Amino acid sequence: MEEQNTEAKLKTRLKQEKIQLWNPPYTDDSNQPGAQHMQELAERYAPLLDLQVEEVGGALEAIRVQAVRRGKGNKTFRETNVATLELLLPRDSKKDPKKKDHLETRLDVLVQEVVDRIAEEFGLKHIKLILNGKTLSTDQRLDEQGVKNHSKVMVLKVSDAEWRQQVSEEEEKKKNQNESLQRTEKGFQILSERDGSEETSPFLEIADQRGNPLKIPHTEKKALILAMGFHEKGRSLMKKKQFENALCHLLQADQQFSKCGSALLRSVDNFAVLQLDIVWCYRALEALSCLDDGKSRLQRAEDCFLQCYGEQQQRLLMIKGNTGREEALFLRLYLLQSLLSYIEGNDAQARHQLAKVESLYGRLCLDSEKMAQLMALGFTDREARLGLRACQGDLQEAAIHISNQRQEREELKQRERQKRSRRLEGITTLTELGFSRKDAARALHHADGDVNRAYEILLDSSRAAQMTNNNTEGVVSLERLEELLYLGFDRVASEAALRLTGGDVQSATQLLLDNQGVLPPGLLPVSPPSSSSSPSPSSEEPSTSSNSADDAELVNEVLEDISRHEEDYLDLTLEEESELIATMKAYLTRGPAHTV
């Protein structure tokens, strides 16, 4: 990281003085360095940067070599269409940690061909290629996905099954990253199709910060559930320090979030937290040469926090009553901004952001004795940590705050149980009227729990089918139908009788009695349509929901990664942050600040 900082400062000065190291007198005709002029340049810049001449000389030579290589690459590309890509390899796969790795290739080839070459040359078994935070599809060409000459491409390992255990090729495939992504996506697709109408099937509901369900269009809701599902899986992997695997899932979450409307993304902080997590993985993987992508993601995160929380976090204060817990997110944001500023060579900005980080860190670090006292009262370490931060370290206030939160969560669960109970009662009422449970559940969902509206929806569906068959008698009322059902007649026969008699209950009763309750086939309507023809969001595309054992296994698997605590994403222990703060302070105290 020090080398990147030094090179960034030197590049800025070279640009200001319009010095081109790839041209004479700094580079001769055989692309070798002009030793005397390079030495003079190093001696002139060293005191300006408070560095040793040798260190500056080495950095200048690295910049010169890179510029020469870039020039040769440009010439080669113009003459042969062969591009040069910079590969950001995993740390343990680099042949020389101090040198950059490159690959020459045409851009009109499939990504799979490049993947195979990289895997063979660097001894990697399963890899993914990432460009500007997006995973490259192996079945598409490089140029179709925005890869250009001199693009920086990140190489991620996605399976370590080979060294962990000796298994067969088929078993290994089941454990690699692609399988994990597919299972995660399928599991959350199943959950995104469910509306909670099935008594024993788990489902997901999108709620605001107070736990109130949000009404979101089906397509957007499905994308949001997939995005949040991939994010939760990625965060789970981050906790296990599996950052490569985590990054793959986080980038999938980012892709799903892009399908959601901008208004929705501005109203929730999930998207901002995701951007922080992606850049945190870049840091953990030492892939911060993805500088432009990291900077843009942090800017998006900051903008989103501003929209969600308000300029002075007044909206957050109004909703939650305090801002202490969310300050951990800002600490991580400012810390990453400080890191990227340092890598860019802007020490002054890095120091400025780090000062904000240290101020927040001082407020967020907790008294271990207070933590112990709260945990002795039966609270968890997460509750104690979040409670103390919410109450600025006040022990008594924290205990009251945690107790109130527990009560609010219990009240929310009780409301959810009551809501589900009412839904199931409504489904039962409709099934007693002869509709299938699946149709009843779907209609009730679209009627927001109103049984009468749900009944009308079901009847409208039946009428639509009957109109197709030129049977357009009016729709009967629920009350009149119930009268006939109360007398013991079949629902289908009762509906037919009411339609044939214009809705007259007495005439319909007589008609049924004359036919012993069973109307001749010619008088019966066509059977009600299946659920696919009733108004339903899922009629637009095939449903992935089912009650199969495989689906149940997938759902249970992805649910394991979802935290049961709604503020888990705020529960940062700050251990990793503390280490990075110490590293940044060490780098920034090497010498006096220079604004670059």
Side-chain angles (χ1 to χ4, degrees):
M1 195 157 63
E2 287 178 286
E3 292 83 357
Q4 289 172 301
N5 173 262
T6 301
E7 288 181 18
K9 291 176 180 177
L10 289 171
K11 285 177 182 178
T12 302
R13 291 191 177 277
L14 292 167
K15 189 179 295 184
Q16 289 171 348
E17 298 182 24
K18 298 181 179 179
I19 294 175
Q20 298 177 335
L21 295 183
W22 60 92
N23 286 330
Y26 306 102
T27 299
D28 61 25
D29 294 338
S30 59
N31 289 328
Q32 295 303 306
Q36 181 181 343
H37 291 88
M38 290 292 288
Q39 180 66 21
E40 290 174 356
L41 200 58
E43 291 173 354
R44 182 157 66 87
Y45 282 164
L48 296 176
L49 301 182
D50 291 305
L51 296 173
Q52 297 295 319
V53 174
E54 293 78 8
E55 186 176 351
V56 174
L60 285 170
E61 175 60 12
I63 295 171
R64 190 195 69 81
V65 169
Q66 183 180 358
V68 170
R69 177 188 287 274
R70 190 177 185 89
K72 289 173 63 179
N74 288 338
K75 183 180 179 183
T76 301
F77 185 65
R78 285 194 302 269
E79 294 176 352
T80 66
N81 285 329
V82 174
T84 301
L85 307 181
E86 182 180 335
L87 302 180
L88 310 177
L89 292 163
R91 283 167 288 182
D92 56 359
S93 301
K94 291 179 68 67
K95 295 178 179 179
D96 185 342
K98 294 185 178 181
K99 289 186 178 180
K100 295 182 179 180
D101 296 284
H102 297 85
L103 181 80
E104 292 186 345
T105 177
R106 292 180 62 89
L107 298 179
D108 57 359
V109 300
L110 292 177
V111 171
Q112 184 62 55
E113 181 178 324
V114 177
V115 166
D116 293 341
R117 285 182 57 192
I118 294 172
E120 182 179 356
E121 185 172 344
F122 296 96
L124 299 169
K125 182 138 188 168
H126 300 292
I127 61 174
K128 278 184 179 293
L129 301 185
I130 310 294
L131 176 70
N132 296 328
K134 303 294 183 184
T135 302
L136 297 181
S137 300
T138 54
D139 58 352
Q140 290 182 272
R141 298 183 346 183
L142 291 168
D143 52 5
E144 292 174 337
Q145 301 181 74
V147 181
K148 301 176 181 178
N149 189 29
H150 302 304
S151 285
K152 294 180 180 179
V153 178
M154 177 190 261
V155 180
L156 282 185
K157 291 188 295 185
V158 294
S159 176
D160 55 4
E162 187 174 68
W163 65 267
R164 278 195 291 112
Q165 56 185 353
Q166 294 299 317
V167 292
S168 69
E169 187 66 24
E170 186 61 29
E171 290 172 328
E172 189 174 57
K173 286 180 182 177
K174 291 179 181 178
K175 290 185 177 292
N176 69 21
Q177 184 56 41
N178 285 332
E179 179 74 11
S180 174
L181 289 171
Q182 291 166 5
R183 291 180 68 82
T184 300
E185 182 171 13
K186 179 68 182 298
F188 282 105
Q189 277 181 341
I190 294 168
L191 286 167
S192 71
E193 297 278 352
R194 293 180 177 174
D195 57 19
S197 58
E198 299 177 36
E199 188 171 2
T200 59
S201 298
F203 71 104
L204 296 179
E205 193 167 51
I206 307 296
D208 61 19
Q209 290 170 312
R210 294 184 182 276
N212 301 311
L214 295 176
K215 281 193 170 297
I216 303 172
H218 177 72
T219 303
E220 202 165 1
K221 178 183 176 182
K222 185 172 181 179
L224 188 57
I225 286 179
L226 284 171
M228 295 171 71
F230 275 120
H231 191 185
E232 286 291 329
K233 178 70 174 181
R235 291 182 61 250
S236 173
L237 292 165
M238 286 175 70
K239 291 178 182 178
K240 301 171 185 176
K241 310 296 183 187
Q242 298 177 17
F243 292 105
E244 290 183 352
N245 203 351
L247 183 57
C248 288
H249 286 80
L250 296 178
L251 293 175
Q252 287 289 328
D254 191 56
Q255 186 177 344
Q256 292 296 331
F257 267 123
S258 68
K259 300 177 183 178
C260 300
S262 57
L264 176 63
L265 296 185
R266 287 195 300 267
S267 65
V268 294
D269 61 5
N270 305 70
F271 183 66
V273 176
L274 173 64
Q275 304 310 307
L276 284 184
D277 287 340
I278 289 174
V279 183
W280 196 255
C281 281
Y282 285 169
R283 173 209 62 84
L285 296 169
E286 297 183 5
L288 286 168
S289 41
C290 299
L291 188 61
D292 291 338
D293 187 55
K295 282 179 63 179
S296 62
R297 288 187 185 280
L298 293 183
Q299 188 60 56
R300 287 199 292 271
E302 190 166 17
D303 292 344
C304 186
F305 282 139
L306 185 66
Q307 290 281 347
C308 293
Y309 297 160
E311 192 135 353
Q312 301 296 325
Q313 300 184 29
Q314 69 271 15
R315 183 169 178 269
L316 180 63
L317 191 63
M318 182 178 67
I319 294 173
K320 290 192 172 183
N322 61 79
T323 62
R325 291 159 295 184
E326 280 72 16
E327 285 185 339
L329 299 177
F330 286 95
L331 183 149
R332 182 170 279 191
L333 171 66
Y334 299 150
L335 182 55
L336 288 169
Q337 287 175 335
S338 175
L339 176 61
L340 293 188
S341 293
Y342 177 76
I343 291 173
E344 281 189 306
N346 194 339
D347 290 11
Q349 180 64 16
R351 283 190 173 88
H352 175 71
Q353 293 301 96
L354 189 60
K356 292 161 68 174
V357 170
E358 291 186 284
S359 175
L360 283 173
Y361 186 75
R363 294 204 299 271
L364 294 173
C365 274
L366 303 172
D367 186 326
S368 58
E369 186 176 336
K370 291 180 179 179
M371 285 282 294
Q373 289 182 52
L374 287 173
M375 291 170 68
L377 294 175
F379 300 129
T380 65
D381 58 342
R382 175 195 287 133
E383 288 176 319
R385 192 159 37 245
L386 293 174
L388 285 170
R389 286 176 182 166
C391 300
Q392 289 77 48
D394 188 302
L395 182 64
Q396 299 300 325
E397 289 294 327
I400 295 172
H401 173 79
I402 298 169
S403 298
N404 289 341
Q405 277 212 316
R406 281 189 170 186
Q407 183 177 347
E408 288 173 7
R409 280 196 293 272
E410 187 54 43
E411 289 173 354
L412 179 60
K413 289 179 182 177
Q414 182 63 28
R415 289 198 300 271
E416 289 174 349
R417 284 194 290 267
Q418 291 172 353
K419 178 181 176 182
R420 189 158 189 170
S421 177
R422 288 194 298 270
R423 185 189 297 118
L424 293 172
E425 288 175 5
I427 292 171
T428 300
T429 298
L430 293 170
T431 54
E432 287 175 350
L433 294 174
F435 296 104
S436 74
R437 191 171 187 83
K438 184 177 180 181
D439 287 350
R442 191 164 288 172
L444 197 64
H445 175 68
H446 291 293
D448 294 323
D450 187 309
V451 176
N452 285 326
R453 279 181 57 201
Y455 176 70
E456 293 299 329
I457 289 172
L458 291 166
L459 287 183
D460 285 345
S461 177
S462 297
R463 181 174 62 177
Q466 290 160 5
M467 286 177 67
T468 303
N469 290 279
N470 298 317
N471 187 5
T472 57
E473 287 86 349
V475 176
V476 300
S477 71
L478 177 60
E479 293 78 12
R480 293 176 181 179
L481 177 61
E482 285 180 335
E483 287 185 49
L484 294 180
L485 295 176
Y486 180 75
L487 295 174
F489 295 116
D490 176 72
R491 186 186 77 85
V492 175
S494 299
E495 282 187 344
L498 284 168
R499 289 193 180 94
L500 290 170
T501 58
D504 186 288
V505 176
Q506 290 186 350
S507 299
T509 302
Q510 189 60 52
L511 178 61
L512 289 167
L513 289 173
D514 291 344
N515 290 277
Q516 288 79 46
V518 181
L519 296 184
L523 295 178
L524 286 175
V526 177
S527 299
S530 65
S531 58
S532 62
S533 61
S534 61
S536 165
S538 58
S539 64
E540 299 170 9
E541 55 185 296
S543 172
T544 55
S545 300
S546 75
N547 294 318
S548 70
D550 287 345
D551 284 359
E553 181 183 348
L554 279 172
V555 168
N556 291 332
E557 184 179 304
V558 297
L559 287 177
E560 288 178 3
D561 293 311
I562 298 179
S563 172
R564 298 297 184 265
H565 195 287
E566 70 277 6
E567 293 185 335
D568 178 70
Y569 71 103
L570 301 175
D571 183 32
L572 302 180
T573 64
L574 302 184
E575 291 176 3
E576 292 179 83
E577 287 79 359
S578 175
E579 292 176 6
L580 185 53
I581 289 171
T583 301
M584 289 300 301
K585 289 174 70 174
Y587 284 137
L588 290 168
T589 53
R590 292 190 306 162
H594 290 281
T595 304
V596 181

